[in-house]
Amino acid sequence: MKLFFLLIALALVMAFPCISWAWDYVYDGSVLPNDPSLGAGRWYPQGNLSMCSTDGNVFQIHDTRTDALEFSKGAKAGPITMEARVYVTSGSDVSYMTIGTSTFSTGVTLYPGYLRVGFDYGNPPVIYSADLTTFHTLRVAINAQGQSYVWLDQTLVAQGVTHVGGQGGIYFGGSSVSGLGQSYWDYVAYSASFDPVPEPSSLATLCLGLVPLMLRRRK
């Protein structure tokens, strides 16, 4: 039976990867993204730094309506994945995440009641309704063929062809076009690879595959 439970635990890890799984870089909100203590992990800031703060656990951007603030890191050519645990307050209009390679890019804009995903310029954006005034996990990934995918709390909410002519980096922040509000970032993670969220059915498949092992062990 010990083997059975060990295999079940392994199946859970494979089906639902956590924040520490395979990320090349994780910003945990304990200091400001541009803090020198981060060394090579520092983010490049652009905008009004007085808009941001951290309580040692969660990084906050305080939107001032007229100013903007974003943080960026360079990205390698090829597939790319970015994930953040984030929420925006009811008074906020716009916070965003953007990822890009040297060829492709896509962006997700966060509003209190929905998120907006921009793909190719010739296609309309995808609007997905969700209460984003509490913490959610948002993952955006681009594969080698330029297909972009967006998951909210492990649910695939949008997919499409990305913009041609990427920005070559990863970005998050608040826009000056928004109304007065705040965004809260528990962590921001990055991987120079295509890391999709497994389908929920994968867990069931793995567990069902373990049943014969358990039955044989009990005989």
mmCIF file of all heavy atoms in Angstrom, residues 163-184:
data_model
loop_
_atom_site.group_PDB
_atom_site.id
_atom_site.type_symbol
_atom_site.label_atom_id
_atom_site.label_comp_id
_atom_site.label_asym_id
_atom_site.label_seq_id
_atom_site.Cartn_x
_atom_site.Cartn_y
_atom_site.Cartn_z
ATOM 1 N N HIS A 163 0.779 37.886 -31.713
ATOM 2 C CA HIS A 163 1.246 38.982 -32.561
ATOM 3 C C HIS A 163 2.588 38.609 -33.187
ATOM 4 O O HIS A 163 3.453 38.048 -32.525
ATOM 5 C CB HIS A 163 1.448 40.268 -31.747
ATOM 6 C CG HIS A 163 0.219 40.760 -31.073
ATOM 7 N ND1 HIS A 163 -1.008 40.803 -31.674
ATOM 8 C CD2 HIS A 163 0.037 41.255 -29.829
ATOM 9 C CE1 HIS A 163 -1.888 41.304 -30.832
ATOM 10 N NE2 HIS A 163 -1.283 41.581 -29.697
ATOM 11 N N VAL A 164 2.779 38.936 -34.435
ATOM 12 C CA VAL A 164 4.083 38.772 -35.074
ATOM 13 C C VAL A 164 4.898 40.036 -34.826
ATOM 14 O O VAL A 164 4.411 41.143 -35.011
ATOM 15 C CB VAL A 164 3.930 38.516 -36.588
ATOM 16 C CG1 VAL A 164 5.296 38.461 -37.251
ATOM 17 C CG2 VAL A 164 3.169 37.216 -36.822
ATOM 18 N N GLY A 165 6.133 39.852 -34.405
ATOM 19 C CA GLY A 165 6.957 41.000 -34.044
ATOM 20 C C GLY A 165 6.910 41.214 -32.554
ATOM 21 O O GLY A 165 6.289 42.137 -32.058
ATOM 22 N N GLY A 166 7.515 40.293 -31.805
ATOM 23 C CA GLY A 166 7.407 40.294 -30.360
ATOM 24 C C GLY A 166 8.210 41.384 -29.680
ATOM 25 O O GLY A 166 9.058 42.034 -30.279
ATOM 26 N N GLN A 167 7.921 41.547 -28.381
ATOM 27 C CA GLN A 167 8.625 42.543 -27.581
ATOM 28 C C GLN A 167 9.883 41.969 -26.940
ATOM 29 O O GLN A 167 10.649 42.695 -26.332
ATOM 30 C CB GLN A 167 7.684 43.072 -26.493
ATOM 31 C CG GLN A 167 6.434 43.734 -27.060
ATOM 32 C CD GLN A 167 5.601 44.358 -25.965
ATOM 33 O OE1 GLN A 167 6.094 45.161 -25.171
ATOM 34 N NE2 GLN A 167 4.339 43.994 -25.897
ATOM 35 N N GLY A 168 10.086 40.682 -27.053
ATOM 36 C CA GLY A 168 11.308 40.084 -26.567
ATOM 37 C C GLY A 168 11.517 40.181 -25.080
ATOM 38 O O GLY A 168 12.632 40.416 -24.620
ATOM 39 N N GLY A 169 10.473 40.019 -24.268
ATOM 40 C CA GLY A 169 10.641 40.064 -22.831
ATOM 41 C C GLY A 169 9.361 39.738 -22.100
ATOM 42 O O GLY A 169 8.353 39.395 -22.715
ATOM 43 N N ILE A 170 9.406 39.818 -20.780
ATOM 44 C CA ILE A 170 8.220 39.629 -19.960
ATOM 45 C C ILE A 170 7.985 40.907 -19.165
ATOM 46 O O ILE A 170 8.920 41.547 -18.694
ATOM 47 C CB ILE A 170 8.367 38.416 -19.032
ATOM 48 C CG1 ILE A 170 9.645 38.508 -18.192
ATOM 49 C CG2 ILE A 170 8.370 37.129 -19.844
ATOM 50 C CD1 ILE A 170 9.801 37.364 -17.220
ATOM 51 N N TYR A 171 6.724 41.273 -19.024
ATOM 52 C CA TYR A 171 6.356 42.559 -18.436
ATOM 53 C C TYR A 171 5.157 42.372 -17.503
ATOM 54 O O TYR A 171 4.282 41.558 -17.766
ATOM 55 C CB TYR A 171 5.954 43.570 -19.515
ATOM 56 C CG TYR A 171 6.967 43.777 -20.610
ATOM 57 C CD1 TYR A 171 7.096 42.869 -21.655
ATOM 58 C CD2 TYR A 171 7.797 44.905 -20.618
ATOM 59 C CE1 TYR A 171 8.022 43.059 -22.665
ATOM 60 C CE2 TYR A 171 8.726 45.108 -21.627
ATOM 61 C CZ TYR A 171 8.835 44.175 -22.650
ATOM 62 O OH TYR A 171 9.759 44.364 -23.659
ATOM 63 N N PHE A 172 5.124 43.162 -16.428
ATOM 64 C CA PHE A 172 3.895 43.283 -15.645
ATOM 65 C C PHE A 172 3.855 44.666 -15.028
ATOM 66 O O PHE A 172 4.886 45.294 -14.792
ATOM 67 C CB PHE A 172 3.791 42.186 -14.583
ATOM 68 C CG PHE A 172 4.720 42.351 -13.394
ATOM 69 C CD1 PHE A 172 4.263 42.919 -12.214
ATOM 70 C CD2 PHE A 172 6.038 41.915 -13.450
ATOM 71 C CE1 PHE A 172 5.096 43.057 -11.111
ATOM 72 C CE2 PHE A 172 6.887 42.043 -12.358
ATOM 73 C CZ PHE A 172 6.412 42.614 -11.181
ATOM 74 N N GLY A 173 2.648 45.165 -14.780
ATOM 75 C CA GLY A 173 2.556 46.505 -14.224
ATOM 76 C C GLY A 173 1.157 47.066 -14.275
ATOM 77 O O GLY A 173 0.168 46.348 -14.420
ATOM 78 N N GLY A 174 1.081 48.411 -14.172
ATOM 79 C CA GLY A 174 -0.181 49.135 -14.205
ATOM 80 C C GLY A 174 -0.090 50.253 -15.216
ATOM 81 O O GLY A 174 0.955 50.875 -15.390
ATOM 82 N N SER A 175 -1.195 50.506 -15.896
ATOM 83 C CA SER A 175 -1.210 51.477 -16.985
ATOM 84 C C SER A 175 -1.795 52.810 -16.546
ATOM 85 O O SER A 175 -2.686 52.871 -15.707
ATOM 86 C CB SER A 175 -2.034 50.922 -18.155
ATOM 87 O OG SER A 175 -2.224 51.911 -19.136
ATOM 88 N N SER A 176 -1.305 53.884 -17.161
ATOM 89 C CA SER A 176 -1.786 55.224 -16.832
ATOM 90 C C SER A 176 -3.201 55.472 -17.325
ATOM 91 O O SER A 176 -3.834 56.455 -16.937
ATOM 92 C CB SER A 176 -0.851 56.280 -17.429
ATOM 93 O OG SER A 176 -0.810 56.179 -18.838
ATOM 94 N N VAL A 177 -3.728 54.612 -18.201
ATOM 95 C CA VAL A 177 -5.091 54.837 -18.701
ATOM 96 C C VAL A 177 -6.124 54.308 -17.728
ATOM 97 O O VAL A 177 -7.321 54.453 -17.936
ATOM 98 C CB VAL A 177 -5.303 54.157 -20.074
ATOM 99 C CG1 VAL A 177 -4.327 54.701 -21.084
ATOM 100 C CG2 VAL A 177 -5.186 52.647 -19.968
ATOM 101 N N SER A 178 -5.682 53.699 -16.629
ATOM 102 C CA SER A 178 -6.627 53.083 -15.707
ATOM 103 C C SER A 178 -7.169 54.086 -14.708
ATOM 104 O O SER A 178 -6.636 55.172 -14.515
ATOM 105 C CB SER A 178 -5.949 51.939 -14.954
ATOM 106 O OG SER A 178 -4.955 52.461 -14.113
ATOM 107 N N GLY A 179 -8.242 53.690 -14.051
ATOM 108 C CA GLY A 179 -8.757 54.479 -12.948
ATOM 109 C C GLY A 179 -7.971 54.166 -11.693
ATOM 110 O O GLY A 179 -7.132 53.273 -11.654
ATOM 111 N N LEU A 180 -8.228 54.929 -10.646
ATOM 112 C CA LEU A 180 -7.511 54.772 -9.397
ATOM 113 C C LEU A 180 -7.767 53.380 -8.811
ATOM 114 O O LEU A 180 -8.899 52.956 -8.665
ATOM 115 C CB LEU A 180 -7.947 55.850 -8.410
ATOM 116 C CG LEU A 180 -7.146 55.983 -7.117
ATOM 117 C CD1 LEU A 180 -5.725 56.380 -7.423
ATOM 118 C CD2 LEU A 180 -7.810 57.007 -6.218
ATOM 119 N N GLY A 181 -6.720 52.655 -8.490
ATOM 120 C CA GLY A 181 -6.874 51.318 -7.939
ATOM 121 C C GLY A 181 -5.540 50.704 -7.602
ATOM 122 O O GLY A 181 -4.499 51.362 -7.641
ATOM 123 N N GLN A 182 -5.546 49.415 -7.271
ATOM 124 C CA GLN A 182 -4.330 48.731 -6.871
ATOM 125 C C GLN A 182 -4.297 47.334 -7.463
ATOM 126 O O GLN A 182 -5.332 46.731 -7.730
ATOM 127 C CB GLN A 182 -4.245 48.623 -5.346
ATOM 128 C CG GLN A 182 -4.112 49.976 -4.636
ATOM 129 C CD GLN A 182 -4.074 49.789 -3.128
ATOM 130 O OE1 GLN A 182 -4.811 48.994 -2.569
ATOM 131 N NE2 GLN A 182 -3.200 50.541 -2.480
ATOM 132 N N SER A 183 -3.081 46.813 -7.637
ATOM 133 C CA SER A 183 -2.896 45.411 -7.980
ATOM 134 C C SER A 183 -1.907 44.804 -6.993
ATOM 135 O O SER A 183 -0.995 45.482 -6.515
ATOM 136 C CB SER A 183 -2.395 45.250 -9.419
ATOM 137 O OG SER A 183 -1.178 45.936 -9.623
ATOM 138 N N TYR A 184 -2.104 43.525 -6.690
ATOM 139 C CA TYR A 184 -1.317 42.825 -5.681
ATOM 140 C C TYR A 184 -0.724 41.575 -6.326
ATOM 141 O O TYR A 184 -1.454 40.750 -6.881
ATOM 142 C CB TYR A 184 -2.193 42.440 -4.491
ATOM 143 C CG TYR A 184 -2.771 43.627 -3.756
ATOM 144 C CD1 TYR A 184 -3.869 44.311 -4.248
ATOM 145 C CD2 TYR A 184 -2.203 44.079 -2.557
ATOM 146 C CE1 TYR A 184 -4.405 45.405 -3.583
ATOM 147 C CE2 TYR A 184 -2.723 45.165 -1.878
ATOM 148 C CZ TYR A 184 -3.827 45.824 -2.406
ATOM 149 O OH TYR A 184 -4.350 46.913 -1.743
#
